[in-house]
């Protein structure tokens, strides 16, 4: 009887630990801001640009004193003066491959291959909202006038930059296939 009890306790511990590992791996990695928000580099061109920023990366956007850089499974913000990471957002789950990203003065949006759109606060690195809009083929996002506009071959949708609420949707017409030869035409 005692051996059975030990066996079932061991099975239960293994089952619970596997569920805990699965739960942990599905969580997003959010570092949050590291230090004070970097001030903008200025209103005019610097006299010696190489002394202002060290770039060993290719930023998607430059906002205030931050460079927004995509990663394999998310996006991160780097301090332009120091080159150090200010904040990072990454997903650990299966659909988090190479997101498209866009930034405004207050929000960074990452759009992942599995259709998840994530709005991240530029100053804190915290997630503001999450929503979904399926991606397929070509896709791109634009930001402006408080809206995030997501474009795929099948349609366009706009979301609120602050809340992620869907504002409007537009279905795009599917291009007609190339017409074949005319069967009722006569060649003269």
């Amino acid at each position: 009887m005692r051996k059975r009890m030990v066996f079932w306790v061991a099975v239960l511990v293994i089952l619970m630990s596997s569920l805990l590992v699965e739960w942990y791996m599905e969580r997003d990695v959010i570092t949050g801001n590291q230090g004070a928000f970097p001030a903008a580099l200025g209103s005019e061109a610097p006299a010696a640009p190489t002394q202002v920023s060290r770039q060993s990366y290719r930023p998607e956007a430059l906002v205030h004193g931050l460079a927004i850089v995509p990663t394999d499974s998310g996006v991160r913000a780097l301090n332009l003066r120091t080159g150090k990471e200010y904040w990072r957002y990454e997903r650990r789950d299966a659909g988090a491959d190479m997101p498209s990203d866009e930034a405004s003065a207050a929000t960074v949006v990452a759009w992942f291959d599995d259709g998840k759109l994530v709005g991240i606060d530029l100053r804190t690195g915290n997630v503001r909202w999450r929503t979904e809009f399926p991606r397929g083929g070509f896709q791109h996002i634009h930001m402006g006038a408080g809206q995030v506009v997501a474009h795929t071959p099948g349609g366009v949708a706009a979301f609120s930059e602050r809340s992620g609420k869907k504002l409007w949707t537009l279905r795009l017409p599917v291009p007609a296939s190339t017409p074949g030869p005319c069967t009722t035409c006569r060649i003269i």
Side-chain angles (χ1 to χ4, degrees):
M1 181 71 160
R2 187 170 198 176
K3 287 182 181 181
R4 264 191 204 162
M5 182 64 109
V6 170
F7 172 76
W8 286 111
V9 168
V11 167
L12 185 61
V13 167
I14 291 170
L15 180 65
M16 293 301 288
S17 63
S18 67
L19 291 173
L20 182 64
V21 167
E22 184 179 329
W23 169 80
Y24 181 74
M25 292 306 290
E26 288 181 358
R27 294 180 54 224
D28 296 343
V29 175
I30 303 170
T31 62
N33 58 328
Q34 309 294 312
F37 187 71
L41 295 177
S43 59
E44 46 189 66
T50 57
Q51 294 176 3
V52 175
S53 66
R54 297 171 223 156
Q55 292 186 354
S56 57
Y57 46 84
R58 186 171 170 241
E60 290 286 319
L62 300 173
V63 185
H64 299 292
L66 296 174
I68 308 303
V69 181
T71 66
D72 289 343
S73 59
V75 64
R76 63 188 183 145
L78 303 174
N79 185 323
L80 281 173
R81 287 189 172 84
T82 64
K84 292 182 180 178
E85 186 173 277
Y86 180 66
W87 58 256
R88 177 172 41 123
Y89 171 81
E90 291 184 338
R91 288 178 47 198
R92 293 185 191 165
D93 57 344
D97 295 333
M98 295 298 291
S100 297
D101 59 86
E102 186 71 26
S104 72
T107 307
V108 176
V109 175
W111 192 12
F112 294 91
D113 281 342
D114 61 358
K116 291 183 180 164
L117 237 75
V118 180
I120 305 161
D121 186 278
L122 179 73
R123 291 185 175 271
T124 65
N126 294 330
V127 174
R128 283 187 174 177
W129 50 266
R130 289 179 175 91
T131 191
E132 291 194 30
F133 184 62
R135 283 173 59 162
F138 171 78
Q139 74 287 331
H140 195 72
I141 50 178
H142 301 280
M143 293 179 72
Q147 295 183 11
V148 178
V149 179
H151 172 253
T152 67
V156 179
F159 302 88
S160 167
E161 180 181 339
R162 293 204 50 80
S163 67
K165 178 183 172 193
K166 190 181 283 189
L167 303 173
W168 53 265
T169 305
L170 173 67
R171 293 219 180 270
L172 297 176
V174 178
S177 60
T178 308
C182 182
T183 57
T184 59
C185 302
R186 291 186 320 183
I187 299 176
I188 300 177

